[in-house]
Amino acid sequence: MKKIALVTGITGQDGYYLAEFLLSKNYIVHGIKRRASTINNYRIDGLYKKYYEKAKVKSFFLHYGDVTDSLNISQLITKINPDEIYNLAAQSHVKVSFETPEYTANADGLGVLRILESIKRHKKKKIKFYQASTSEMFGESKPPQTESTYFAPKSPYGAAKLYGHWITKIYRESYGIFACSGILFNHESPLRGETFVTKKIVMSAVKYYRKKNEILEIGNLNAVRDWGHAKDYVKNMWLMLQKKFPQDYVISTNKSYTVKEFIEKTYKFLGINIIWKGKKDKEIGLDKKNNKIIVRVNKKYFRPNEVEILRGNSKKAKKELKWKPTISLNQLVKEMIEYELKLQN
Ligand code: NAP
Ligand code: GDD
């Protein structure tokens, strides 16, 4: 019997990589996507063609839905009767969460509760549940952050995710549901959303490399992040649900870099060296070859409250799940640039 997985947030970065991984493991995958005024399936189009439209035996199905809609979620879970649910759906942008705090709480916090309640009431099968928690929950706690680090979120996103994280633990302990959270540090890929910093940097660097008239407008250059590759991280999601008992795990590379270092790496890859001038919101980056401004700090991208340093320690995952990241930051940057070079050809 093929296992059935239900994935929320299927149209997002991780949704694509997780669906690809589960389909390659012979799962039947059901994805929940939101209705939008324009079609936003571009990441999963290829998978849909291969595993639904052109397949003799179909194994990839899409359903309209929204984690803010209890009826929709409970009906889908009853109908699909999945073995595993991966909750990737979220308003996942930290800065946007300051502008849409109530919606973020509803989707990222209460959305988790809605799914857990449906699982609790589901009688046909014991469903395993994975929640995509985040290193943003650590907020101002000092690195390296582990499973036992104090949670101190600094954004509406972090607070909403902490509710989702905690309610997952509460349902596990109160009702014996196989429910667990991966505390995911930043992970990127060529399919990363365009308003996240790595993708934004890569897009701008390639534009400059091609046309020489692009300036990267950027926020906090000194923020430190632990960046991994989404492909490694989704494998871990699956591993966690194959364990005998549910537990939470930190998933990270254990290495960290500043935003400025990420910029330098990216441009250097394209043969462009940067000289920095000025301080704080007056800082600029010049192309060493021709003195052109290619990076400029813009206060617009500062956050009302910033998480300065994230660096995890995923030794529990290494020991108990035999998981470790396989793609280095240099490989990630290279892959993102090569993808962008093809796109902007
Ligand atoms: P993403 O690219 O922003 O994808 C988010 C997905 O959630 C999209 O498919 C989005 O649909 C969907 N979604 C948003 N609101 C929804 C709602 N109300 N109902 C149903 N679906 C909704 O994010 P990602 O990078 O793949 O991240 C996946 C999950 O991991 C998220 O929960 C994120 O918070 C968490 N996480 C990510 C990272 C990271 O570094 N990537 C780190 C820690 C945790 P649309 O396409 O329609 O917008
Ligand atoms: N997005 C963005 N845009 N970030 C910028 C910019 C900019 O122009 N300039 C500097 N930054 C800084 C942010 O202030 C932050 O410190 C860092 O770059 C990373 O920003 P994002 O790429 O937006 O990611 P994030 O760390 O806020 O959140 C991501 O990782 C979390 C896990 O730690 C998202 O994927 C979240 O969904 C995820 O939970």
Side-chain angles (χ1 to χ4, degrees), residues 9-15 32 34 40 43 65-68 87-92 103 107 132-135 157 161 184-188 192-193 196:
I10 194 88
T11 55
Q13 170 189 259
D14 291 5
I32 298 183
R34 295 191 292 180
N40 65 347
R43 292 184 177 103
D66 197 302
V67 292
T68 61
N87 183 33
L88 308 183
Q91 189 302 92
S92 72
Y103 173 72
S133 287
T134 166
S135 48
Y157 169 78
K161 280 283 186 177
L184 303 162
F185 281 66
N186 298 49
H187 48 278
E188 321 293 309
R192 185 58 146 150
F196 295 98

Side-chain angles (χ1 to χ4, degrees), residues 175-222:
Y175 306 117
I177 296 174
F178 190 114
C180 50
S181 303
I183 307 177
L184 303 162
F185 281 66
N186 298 49
H187 48 278
E188 321 293 309
S189 73
L191 298 182
R192 185 58 146 150
E194 295 178 2
T195 58
F196 295 98
V197 80
T198 58
K199 181 74 173 175
K200 183 174 161 178
I201 294 167
V202 169
M203 284 170 61
S204 214
V206 170
K207 263 189 208 154
Y208 177 72
Y209 173 77
R210 291 267 193 237
K211 303 206 177 85
K212 301 280 180 228
N213 61 357
E214 166 76 10
I215 300 179
L216 168 65
E217 301 265 346
I218 199 81
N220 181 3
L221 284 170
N222 302 315

Side-chain angles (χ1 to χ4, degrees), residues 42-308:
Y42 73 96
R43 292 184 177 103
I44 50 169
D45 265 350
L47 290 179
Y48 194 69
K49 279 204 179 85
K50 180 168 172 193
Y51 292 98
Y52 183 83
E53 285 174 0
K54 293 190 176 160
K56 279 199 189 114
V57 182
K58 300 184 190 309
S59 52
F60 190 35
F61 302 89
L62 292 174
H63 310 266
Y64 281 113
D66 197 302
V67 292
T68 61
D69 182 337
S70 309
L71 276 179
N72 163 263
I73 291 300
S74 71
Q75 278 168 6
L76 282 174
I77 291 176
T78 305
K79 186 171 99 181
I80 293 164
N81 192 26
D83 297 287
E84 297 171 3
I85 298 180
Y86 296 85
N87 183 33
L88 308 183
Q91 189 302 92
S92 72
H93 202 282
V94 175
K95 182 157 189 296
V96 172
S97 78
F98 288 95
E99 281 141 55
T100 60
E102 185 181 336
Y103 173 72
T104 304
N106 192 1
D108 301 13
L110 292 178
V112 186
L113 175 68
R114 292 183 183 104
I115 300 173
L116 287 165
E117 260 303 306
S118 298
I119 292 176
K120 191 179 104 193
R121 287 155 201 261
H122 193 75
K123 298 287 174 243
K124 286 191 246 170
K125 205 184 251 179
K126 273 193 180 283
I127 301 172
K128 292 184 174 181
F129 176 70
Y130 175 91
Q131 166 60 10
S133 287
T134 166
S135 48
E136 263 297 301
M137 299 185 309
F138 294 126
E140 64 189 26
S141 279
K142 297 277 168 288
Q145 291 103 357
T146 69
E147 291 80 3
S148 54
T149 299
Y150 186 71
F151 294 124
K154 295 182 85 172
S155 63
Y157 169 78
K161 280 283 186 177
L162 182 52
Y163 176 83
H165 182 77
W166 222 248
I167 202 70
T168 300
K169 178 173 151 62
I170 290 168
Y171 270 57
R172 171 170 78 221
E173 292 171 354
S174 311
Y175 306 117
I177 296 174
F178 190 114
C180 50
S181 303
I183 307 177
L184 303 162
F185 281 66
N186 298 49
H187 48 278
E188 321 293 309
S189 73
L191 298 182
R192 185 58 146 150
E194 295 178 2
T195 58
F196 295 98
V197 80
T198 58
K199 181 74 173 175
K200 183 174 161 178
I201 294 167
V202 169
M203 284 170 61
S204 214
V206 170
K207 263 189 208 154
Y208 177 72
Y209 173 77
R210 291 267 193 237
K211 303 206 177 85
K212 301 280 180 228
N213 61 357
E214 166 76 10
I215 300 179
L216 168 65
E217 301 265 346
I218 199 81
N220 181 3
L221 284 170
N222 302 315
V224 176
R225 289 293 182 273
D226 176 336
W227 282 294
H229 195 300
K231 200 169 184 176
D232 279 334
Y233 288 42
V234 300
K235 180 173 180 202
N236 186 276
M237 297 174 181
W238 174 78
L239 282 172
M240 280 177 57
L241 293 198
Q242 310 318 305
K243 287 281 289 180
K244 202 156 179 199
F245 302 106
Q247 281 197 53
D248 302 333
Y249 291 89
V250 156
I251 306 304
S252 60
T253 70
N254 313 341
K255 293 188 186 111
S256 59
Y257 302 85
T258 60
V259 169
K260 192 187 252 183
E261 284 170 323
F262 192 97
I263 294 174
E264 287 169 348
K265 250 182 206 304
T266 305
Y267 282 79
K268 199 161 187 172
F269 190 91
L270 294 162
I272 304 157
N273 290 303
I274 301 179
I275 304 173
W276 297 100
K277 286 203 173 141
K279 288 235 152 58
K280 296 187 178 161
D281 58 329
K282 301 278 179 297
E283 192 157 1
I284 50 170
L286 309 168
D287 182 342
K288 196 175 170 192
K289 239 185 218 160
N290 55 21
N291 258 354
K292 261 190 179 178
I293 297 179
I294 52 176
V295 185
R296 182 161 51 212
V297 170
N298 185 337
K299 280 199 286 193
K300 177 172 135 186
Y301 298 108
F302 288 172
R303 293 165 183 192
N305 204 0
E306 172 73 294
V307 172
E308 294 293 345

